[in-house]
Amino acid sequence: MTKPSIETLQFHGIDALRLNGPRGASAVVSRLGAQLLSWITPDGRERLFLSDKAVFDGSVAIRGGVPVCFPQFSDRGELPRHGFVRTREWTVAAQRCGDDYALLTLETADDEATRALWPHAFKLELTVMLEADRIDLELCVANPGEAGFAFTGALHTYLRTIQVEDVALEGLYGHDYRDAADGDRIVRDSGTQLTVDRETDRVYRDVRRPQLLQAGNLSLGIQSQGFPDVVVWNPWLDKCAALADMPADGWRHMLCVEAAAAERPVVVAPGDEWYGRQMLVAV
Ligand code: TA6
């Protein structure tokens, strides 16, 4: 059996790192945005959606994988949509491999450009740990400054689906959600499973249970820690057609299930750190 390893590579023309995990599992993370762009499980299946029309020149965020949204979720504030770290070049802070894992940490911090938009000192670390059937993403938000700050954000995970109409997402029953596809109405989820048959853009609040994405005999467990909310997004046909970096049928092959801090800003005191994680497990 080959030992886990990490190598640098060019992926769609940009700097990236490939984690080679146990039993043939692999993952690719770009330095642009510290974005996980591919996760292949030992059965050879790609688990993440990456748009065929994604743009890799840093002018916009890469459409797919797991964009890191910080310090603003969506358009709930004055900052660029989903913040500004998706189009930053991150640096490699650590890499380590053991017999059954490969681990990579990328980091970025405030500079003149970020302070012009958001006047705070910050340091972010995104750690990706790849095991055989599982991948963990951890975002650490540190405040090295002298004043506290508040942020919202997300790990905006695009899961790959063969046909989104055929998937069922379990685990959100009984939670309230804000329905951005219906004027931000607050709705209580009363179905045992979420199925997608129209534009779906929901922020589920205070979710503590894991979710299970089921598609035929393929399942994926999704769990978060630290992030209180779960966002479920699919643009469906019309909104997808309006996205320049999505193919016409892109909506069918993706479902975003995001670990988010969207509803209530997280406050980080000077000298403090905050951690949020999302774990994906092929079951
Ligand atoms: O997380 C869901 C969402 O906020 C949607 O409203 C949707 O438009 C999406 O993110 C994608 O945003 P983006 O800036 O990547 O086009």
Side-chain angles (χ1 to χ4, degrees):
M1 208 169 79
T2 49
K3 268 190 76 123
S5 62
I6 298 179
E7 61 189 321
T8 55
L9 79 160
Q10 292 287 298
F11 191 76
H12 293 271
I14 57 169
D15 290 343
L17 294 106
R18 174 178 284 129
L19 288 72
N20 300 301
R23 302 211 328 259
S26 69
V28 174
V29 183
S30 61
R31 287 188 43 213
L32 180 64
Q35 201 155 328
L36 177 64
L37 295 175
S38 163
W39 172 38
I40 296 176
T41 41
D43 55 10
R45 282 175 206 274
E46 175 58 69
R47 302 296 182 140
L48 299 178
F49 170 81
L50 179 60
S51 169
D52 292 344
K53 292 175 81 180
V55 177
F56 293 88
D57 64 6
S59 60
V60 293
I62 301 168
R63 176 77 61 197
V66 185
V68 178
C69 304
F70 174 91
Q72 177 183 295
F73 177 77
S74 190
D75 51 7
R76 298 181 184 194
E78 307 296 306
L79 294 175
R81 187 184 175 76
H82 285 314
F84 46 69
V85 299
R86 296 187 296 177
T87 49
R88 283 177 71 77
E89 201 66 21
W90 296 46
T91 52
V92 176
Q95 42 183 309
R96 208 165 59 234
C97 294
D99 287 341
D100 48 12
Y101 71 91
L103 179 148
L104 170 71
T105 301
L106 298 182
E107 65 180 20
T108 190
D110 62 289
D111 61 12
E112 237 171 80
T114 68
R115 287 191 297 271
L117 291 168
W118 194 62
H120 300 287
F122 70 87
K123 186 175 157 200
L124 298 188
E125 285 186 349
L126 194 267
T127 297
V128 177
M129 181 158 97
L130 176 70
E131 294 174 79
D133 292 306
R134 152 181 190 142
I135 195 158
D136 292 8
L137 293 108
E138 179 185 274
L139 180 68
C140 173
V141 178
N143 180 355
E146 256 135 52
F149 63 68
F151 74 89
T152 53
L155 297 172
H156 198 299
T157 306
Y158 286 76
L159 299 172
R160 185 181 160 78
T161 59
I162 293 169
Q163 194 151 299
V164 76
E165 303 99 304
D166 294 343
V167 308
L169 185 65
E170 293 175 7
L172 296 166
Y173 171 79
H175 288 86
D176 285 343
Y177 64 85
R178 181 182 294 276
D179 192 350
D182 186 10
D184 275 343
R185 207 158 62 90
I186 305 297
V187 184
R188 164 119 342 148
D189 196 315
S190 56
T192 47
Q193 295 185 325
L194 190 166
T195 50
V196 180
D197 56 8
R198 71 194 77 171
E199 183 198 352
T200 304
D201 194 351
R202 302 177 178 180
V203 180
Y204 284 85
R205 304 160 162 195
D206 294 322
V207 179
R208 292 195 184 88
R209 289 194 304 254
Q211 297 85 58
L212 188 68
L213 184 78
Q214 289 197 295
N217 54 3
L218 266 188
S219 306
L220 196 71
I222 305 159
Q223 185 153 23
S224 47
Q225 288 173 349
F227 287 104
D229 309 320
V230 170
V231 177
V232 181
W233 178 55
N234 182 284
W236 209 246
L237 234 141
D238 293 347
K239 286 259 168 86
C240 179
L243 296 170
D245 56 357
M246 280 286 262
D249 67 343
W251 61 275
R252 176 160 267 159
H253 303 300
M254 56 147 289
L255 182 64
C256 284
V257 182
E258 311 165 29
E263 288 293 286
R264 280 182 299 272
V266 175
V267 176
V268 188
D272 255 8
E273 293 175 341
W274 172 92
Y275 291 88
R277 298 182 189 88
Q278 188 184 52
M279 291 85 83
L280 305 174
V281 186
V283 285

